[in-house]
Amino acid sequence: NRVYVYPSHDIPAPEGQRQDWFCMADYHVFSSDNLTEWKDHGVIVTQNNVPWVKPDSYSMWAPDCVCKDGKYYFFFPSSPKSGRGFAIGVATADNPEGPFTCEPEPIKGVMGIDPSVLLDDDGQCYMYWAGGPMRGAKLKSTLKELEGEVKNMEGLPEGFKEGPFAFKRGGNYCLTFPWVRKENGTETLAYAMSKNPLGPWDFKGIIMAESPTGCWTNHHSIIEYQGQWYLFYHHNDYSPSMDKRRSTRIDRLWFNDDGTIQEVIPTLRGVGVNKATERLQIDRYSATCNASVALLDTIDTFRGWEVVLPREHSWVSYADVDFSDMKNCYMVANVMAHENTSFTVRAGSPKGKVVAQAKVVVKTEGQRPRDYSGKWMNVTAEVKNVPNGVADLFFCCDGAEVHIDWVQFKNHDKY
């Protein structure tokens, strides 16, 4: 009942390394039981503690991990001490968070990157990797050696492909992969299907289109968790000027009746449920109408973003907010405006029941005039209608432009 994520780890390149390229020295593992709150279990494998990896090569690219017979097998690529290119190694552990022990040598007969391992229903394992033609092979029961010949994956489209991820659903094998279409220089996520784990494959199309901001890569994994399928992928949200430093995203994934995959439209909201008492970063919206987001600080991007509602009837929605513990409550919002304005929070739709209405007064006249235009401040508003359980919220501008950093709901003290 817990999800574990084994990502690569982008870091700023140290002196002496190529400054405009991928730089990865180790792997962490993260886990969550609600897809919202994540725990970092720390480093599980690092480049200078693997016997066969070239020291300070900063080449620990996309990995994978599978569990077989109660043991965890972590597959990862890196630059070997001898020879050129990339090799793929294995580390094992008795627990998903480690500690992991690395094999002294990489898997023989494999040169490439981005390993993916599929554990089939009969217990047989298959590994897929990139670096030249997409390839695959059966693994021995130890999961540390190949069994049989290496096969090129036939039936895939022309164009650059890498980062394979394979899974099985309803008797169909799905081989998914980043793919660069000829007319565009950035990666899509695409897939093919087969009745056999090593193909030949029937190309089906796109899972996710190219990044609208031009992030060159998009690697991914797909899992089913508690009855819902999810697509894990990445984007350079926190490094908008450097697409070689990327962060993990998650969105829901759906299938058609024939087993084909519906295209995933990326959302900033992602997945998981937030309690209303948390600070809701509504810039990570589920949907938007005539609104936008902007970085609060273009230097320290980890300060996050703000929502800009530029005019009346513009809005953003933020899905899955849990009001189960809320009774008589009020709302606090961190906002900024240049003219007096207001915004309304509604449940279910832009015209749904009013949850709260916040007045944003930045200018007053009279004996004690003030002018807070262009400055961040907190505003409060009583909650008129507390939603039942989990609700989708819509933040709707009622007049002049308003900027919103975060929103939070609080019970009155007597409750």
Side-chain angles (χ1 to χ4, degrees), residues 337-351:
H338 295 280
E339 301 290 341
N340 293 343
T341 185
S342 66
F343 67 93
T344 299
V345 184
R346 298 177 180 271
S349 78
K351 296 182 180 180

Side-chain angles (χ1 to χ4, degrees), residues 309 339-344 357-360 396-400 402:
L309 301 176
E339 301 290 341
N340 293 343
T341 185
S342 66
F343 67 93
T344 299
Q357 186 176 43
K359 293 183 178 180
V360 182
C396 311
C397 182
D398 297 328
V402 59

